């Protein structure tokens, strides 16, 4: 198994120069309005500057000429400043400039405007506020199967099941160190208060794995078909080859709690990469600055374990219970 320092970054950075300006007056944001009633759909990429698969998918959507037949479609390249720093030899350094953009999505933090990521979030906020359905494209620190994160709202889990992929769906409440974009505003409200809003976050696999691009394309095609803003036949024609096989089954991974690092010295007992099922409760899986980290129950699933960004207050793994959906 690869160690965290020996992973090869094989996915090249896409050239998005032709699409960088956008058409909205906000750099990197494209908006297409059918002029007819329908859902406001938004797909975002590059919340983290080293997560290239989503940028490839958005570039492909723009090159396809896809336009909505009803409602609107917005495509957003988010943290361009971090992306500009991308170096495949030191890709973690381009995750963000000042702080993780995907922990800044509260109005209080955005309005502070005191960091690169908060200022950029302020530019993106109007588009998020107007959206009904949001798909946020991400990738992972470690090699792992794709994960679709629904939050805790049943409406998003139902959409994930409708889409038929990927195999593993994570039901979680987010992170202690800040709100994700996918949970901002009405997207974090209970079903009874949220109307037609839906929001999904896809972790497509390891940042540097070319397969992550294929997963990003697949989930975009599935999401747009479910959103029903474009003719299905036209969608399939413009995105020919994007759909992968349906998952043979789907599992819900219900997160029961995170492990939050006390410092950058957090270590795991093994090179876990995610989706390991630890058979016995009380198994030691790590050391949190001198405190053993143990599994809280039998058949505990490890969700996205990684020490690449470990520091005080950062989630380094989440514990989950698994149940079969299909």
């Amino acid at each position: 198994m690869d160690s965290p320092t020996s992973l090869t970054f094989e996915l090249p950075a896409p050239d998005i120069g032709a699409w960088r300006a956008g058409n909205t007056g906000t750099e990197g944001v494209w908006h297409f309005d059918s002029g007819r009633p329908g859902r406001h759909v938004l797909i975002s990429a590059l919340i983290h500057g080293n997560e290239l698969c989503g940028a490839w998918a958005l570039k492909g959507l723009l090159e396809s000429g896809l336009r909505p037949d009803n409602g609107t479609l917005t495509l957003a390249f988010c943290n361009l400043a971090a992306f500009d720093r991308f170096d495949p030899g030191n890709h973690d350094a381009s995750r963000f400039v000042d702080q993780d953009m995907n922990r800044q999505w509260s109005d209080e933090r955005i309005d502070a405007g005191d960091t690169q990521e908060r200022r950029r979030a302020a530019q993106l906020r109007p588009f998020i506020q107007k959206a009904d359905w949001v798909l946020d494209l991400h990738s992972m620190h470690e090699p792992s199967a794709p994960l679709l994160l629904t939050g805790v709202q049943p409406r998003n889990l139902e959409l994930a099941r409708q889409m038929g992929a990927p195999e593993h769906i994570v039901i979680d409440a987010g992170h202690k160190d800040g709100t994700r974009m996918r949970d901002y505003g009405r997207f974090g409200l209970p079903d009874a208060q949220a109307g037609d809003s839906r929001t999904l976050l896809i972790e497509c696999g390891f940042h540097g794995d070319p397969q992550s691009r294929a997963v990003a394309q697949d989930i975009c095609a599935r999401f747009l078909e479910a959103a029903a803003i474009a003719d299905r036949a036209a969608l399939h024609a413009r995105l020919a080859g994007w759909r992968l096989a349906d998952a043979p089954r789907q599992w819900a991974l219900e997160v029961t709690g995170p492990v939050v690092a006390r410092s950058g010295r957090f270590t795991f007992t093994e090179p876990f990469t995610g989706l390991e099922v630890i058979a016995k409760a009380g198994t030691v899986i790590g050391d949190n600055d001198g405190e053993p980290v143990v599994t809280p129950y039998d058949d505990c699933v490890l969700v996205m374990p990684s020490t690449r960004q470990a520091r005080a207050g950062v989630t380094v793994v989440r514990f989950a219970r698994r149940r079969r959906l299909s």
Side-chain angles (χ1 to χ4, degrees):
M1 183 178 295
D2 286 325
S3 71
T5 58
S6 65
L7 297 173
T8 301
F9 209 106
E10 298 180 354
L11 181 65
D15 180 359
I16 61 171
W19 307 105
R20 181 150 183 147
N23 68 347
T24 61
T26 299
E27 186 181 22
V29 180
W30 290 82
H31 182 73
F32 305 104
D33 191 335
S34 70
R36 300 185 182 92
R39 292 186 173 112
H40 292 230
V41 173
L42 183 147
I43 303 178
S44 57
L46 291 179
I47 284 284
H48 300 124
N50 63 337
E51 299 183 358
L52 307 182
C53 61
W56 275 107
L58 261 59
K59 181 176 185 284
L61 288 172
L62 289 162
E63 290 173 344
S64 77
L66 178 69
R67 299 291 184 268
D69 297 314
N70 55 83
T72 69
L73 175 63
T74 302
L75 306 175
F77 298 98
C78 295
N79 199 340
L80 290 168
F83 174 67
D84 287 343
R85 296 154 52 116
F86 176 75
D87 175 358
N90 187 24
H91 60 86
D92 287 330
S94 59
R95 180 173 172 82
F96 52 79
V97 176
D98 295 323
Q99 59 194 162
D100 191 331
M101 182 183 278
N102 214 29
R103 305 292 184 270
Q104 309 310 315
W105 289 88
S106 66
D107 288 327
E108 180 181 9
R109 289 191 179 187
I110 295 173
D111 290 343
D114 54 352
T115 66
Q116 169 67 37
E117 277 72 22
R118 290 176 179 179
R119 289 188 291 271
R120 180 59 172 165
Q123 295 175 354
L124 298 171
R125 176 167 52 180
F127 300 99
I128 304 300
Q129 290 173 328
K130 292 176 184 176
D132 298 315
W133 283 32
V134 172
L135 174 64
D136 191 17
L137 302 169
H138 287 255
S139 54
M140 306 183 203
H141 300 307
E142 313 294 346
S144 183
L147 301 174
L148 190 60
L149 280 61
T150 67
V152 297
Q153 295 83 13
R155 64 186 183 275
N156 295 325
L157 177 59
E158 181 54 37
L159 175 57
R161 295 180 67 176
Q162 176 186 344
M163 288 165 56
E167 182 175 357
H168 297 97
I169 299 169
V170 177
I171 303 169
D172 75 318
H175 298 273
K176 291 184 178 296
D177 52 335
T179 303
R180 300 171 295 194
M181 187 177 75
R182 56 138 297 126
D183 301 313
Y184 173 69
R186 65 190 173 111
F187 294 110
L189 294 177
D191 286 5
Q193 304 172 36
D196 184 45
S197 71
R198 303 286 188 277
T199 179
L200 298 172
L201 186 160
I202 178 73
E203 298 281 1
C204 296
F206 170 55
H207 303 318
D209 185 352
Q211 181 63 18
S212 68
R213 173 173 51 189
V215 172
Q217 292 172 334
D218 174 65
I219 207 70
C220 284
R222 292 173 186 272
F223 184 78
L224 289 167
E225 182 172 337
I229 62 168
D231 175 76
R232 183 178 180 184
L235 180 66
H236 286 191
R238 290 198 177 271
L239 304 183
W242 280 36
R243 283 287 292 263
L244 303 176
D246 288 352
R249 67 195 67 78
Q250 286 187 299
W251 299 92
L253 307 179
E254 298 185 42
V255 172
T256 58
V259 176
V260 178
R262 292 179 170 182
S263 74
R265 293 184 294 274
F266 186 98
T267 59
F268 287 108
T269 58
E270 300 178 36
F272 300 118
T273 61
L275 301 178
E276 292 89 354
V277 181
I278 310 301
K280 296 297 183 182
T283 300
V284 177
I285 65 157
D287 179 276
N288 198 358
D289 216 6
E291 178 184 355
V293 178
V294 300
T295 51
Y297 39 79
D298 291 349
D299 297 325
C300 180
V301 182
L302 305 186
V303 176
M304 295 181 67
S306 181
T307 59
R308 284 184 176 272
Q309 299 291 326
R311 62 185 182 279
V314 170
T315 298
V316 289
V317 67
R318 283 164 276 182
F319 294 136
R321 288 190 170 96
R322 185 176 70 167
R323 62 182 172 89
R324 186 164 175 167
L325 293 174
S326 62

